[in-house]
Amino acid sequence: MKTKAKRSISVSLVALTFASTLAACQSNSNSSSSTQNDTAGTTKEHRTLTVEVFDRGKPGQPDLNNNFWTKYINDNFGKQFNATVNFVSVPRAQEVDKLNVLMAAGQAPDISYTYTQGVVYNYVQQGGLAELDSVLKQHGTTLTKYLGDDVLKYGKFNGKQYSVPGKRTVLAGSNTFIRKDWLDKLGLPVPTTPEQFYNTMVAFKEKNPGNVSGVIPYGYSLQPSGPGLGYIPEAFKPSNLTEEQFATLQPQAIWSTNWNMPGFDKAVQYMNKMFNAGLISPNFATDKDGKLLDADISNGKVGAFQTNWDGPYRTAPGTYANLTKNVPGAQLIPIDPWQNDAGKHPKNVYSPNGMYIIIPKTSKNVDLAIQYLNWMADPKVTLFLQNGQEGVDYNLVNGVPKQTGTTNSGDKMMTVANNLDYDILSNGIELGDQQKNTAAISAGYPGYEKDVENALKVGMVDNYTTYFYSIPNAADAKSNTELKNLSAQMLAKLIVAKPAEVDSLYKTLVQQYMGQGGQAVQDEYVKNYKTQNGK
């Protein structure tokens, strides 16, 4: 499965310069925020608001500070608030390094952003960000209503609001998919428990309903970028964990491992049992980029697998399209077999926040920046920024925008889906209604609309997000890559071990893992949890 690796704290080489610059500039932070309100025309002074925009280097992209979208913003927000909005382009691939330099020089845009929590935390610790509680209350009524407390809390550090998080509109992480045509051929029901799933995989191996050479009942790829067992551990994790256990033991990223989580050893034993029964991909440990698994699925060899919630329907790699081309009549459906001791099917999904939007303390336009975000939270503005002009760039079909193709090139080119580089509040399609959002999302998968709607529904059953830490784990940031690589090696050894040796080998390897940084990470989660809860 290809997912985002866990974000880690970025260490800036310019921290000392940054700190000294802030000391000289802090007095300018809120010069006018206390005298103005939410309405237009409250100031006679014309101001310039600077806003970061990612430069993705897309061929043919327009001038990022002078195009259809920037003109709309200036013709509407700009005229309403007597302001000019200038966009400062930052290379997407170097966004953290570039932002660090700009912050250190006191030249960061009034509205800046990053996807990395640790970077924001560093700025907070260095005194580099404007506090936003009072200005949000005064100028951000629409904004705070749109985001809600569940999203806004991700921008709180040390009990104060230092960031306005963007809102992620699709939280689903993964799904388990199975060949329904194989089930039908064997007269088997859709498995809903780990035991039923195992027995189904045995039937796939013994009866080979696809009549293929080298049948693989359960396709699995152990990828170092995110080594884990998908949602299988959810079936073995006790449902009665305390909040502290959940917070300090639950993996903080989807498709991840936590060797001390109760029941994780049982999940490993389950995988070991499947391997020794010949039920999983024989080359799982060497298929480090998942391409072999994709090929096996496309060629009709695989009976079931886990991947991104929409993985099979994507245009790249297009496994479902390739599968049906190679095997006419093949059918994939999402299933929910990882039932726990409470009869639930829990799924660790993405947190509801997208990027972290910040306002440097050196900004003289804190109030105007929040007014800009508040303006953007208007549903009509969101609709325009994500889709363009109705009747020209899109047509509404059953309340859902259907694109005409005009935003693929020229002055209107969107360099990223949903134009999120300009509509920075919404990380994903936002139509103000989840049913419409789902319909709009599915419309982006021509030929698979109903499949995608169903996959999104299954992927959100019994969903939960990990415990929110306002304090990043520095030990994890330091050891994350090393521990992920070690986890991949451990899983490879444990899955192929002799069944009688798994338990003792598990204990030995976990002891090694904890000694090489795992204990420090665990201890810091416990410390941060207690600090955050005043214990």
Side-chain angles (χ1 to χ4, degrees), residues 1 15 24 30 46 52 58 74 103 134 141 165 182 184 187 253 325 401 435 444 449 452 456 505 527:
M1 172 179 161
N30 268 313
H46 184 88
E52 180 180 356
K58 189 171 181 178
N74 276 292
M103 288 287 287
S134 61
T141 304
W182 285 15
D184 292 344
K325 179 181 178 181
Q435 189 172 353
E449 291 88 349
V452 170
L456 185 55
L505 180 60
K527 182 187 77 172

Side-chain angles (χ1 to χ4, degrees), residues 336-347:
D336 216 355
W338 312 116
Q339 181 174 293
N340 68 5
D341 58 9
K344 300 290 186 179
H345 298 80
K347 298 175 188 66

Side-chain angles (χ1 to χ4, degrees), residues 65 89 139 156 209 215 260-261 304 320 334 362 400 408 423 507:
N65 189 42
S89 62
H139 300 296
K156 285 184 179 290
V215 63
N260 285 326
M261 171 61 71
Y320 201 0
T362 53
V400 175
N408 296 328
D423 181 41
K507 294 176 181 177

Side-chain angles (χ1 to χ4, degrees), residues 232-285:
I232 293 176
E234 298 287 3
F236 300 92
K237 183 176 68 178
S239 60
N240 61 348
L241 294 177
T242 65
E243 182 187 76
E244 183 169 351
Q245 286 178 309
F246 176 81
T248 59
L249 296 176
Q250 171 67 35
Q252 294 295 306
I254 297 175
W255 196 263
S256 186
T257 55
N258 195 313
W259 297 99
N260 285 326
M261 171 61 71
F264 193 80
D265 57 339
K266 304 300 181 186
V268 170
Q269 291 172 358
Y270 182 88
M271 282 292 285
N272 174 271
K273 181 181 178 182
M274 286 213 292
F275 177 82
N276 280 283
L279 303 180
I280 74 173
S281 304
N283 298 316
F284 75 90

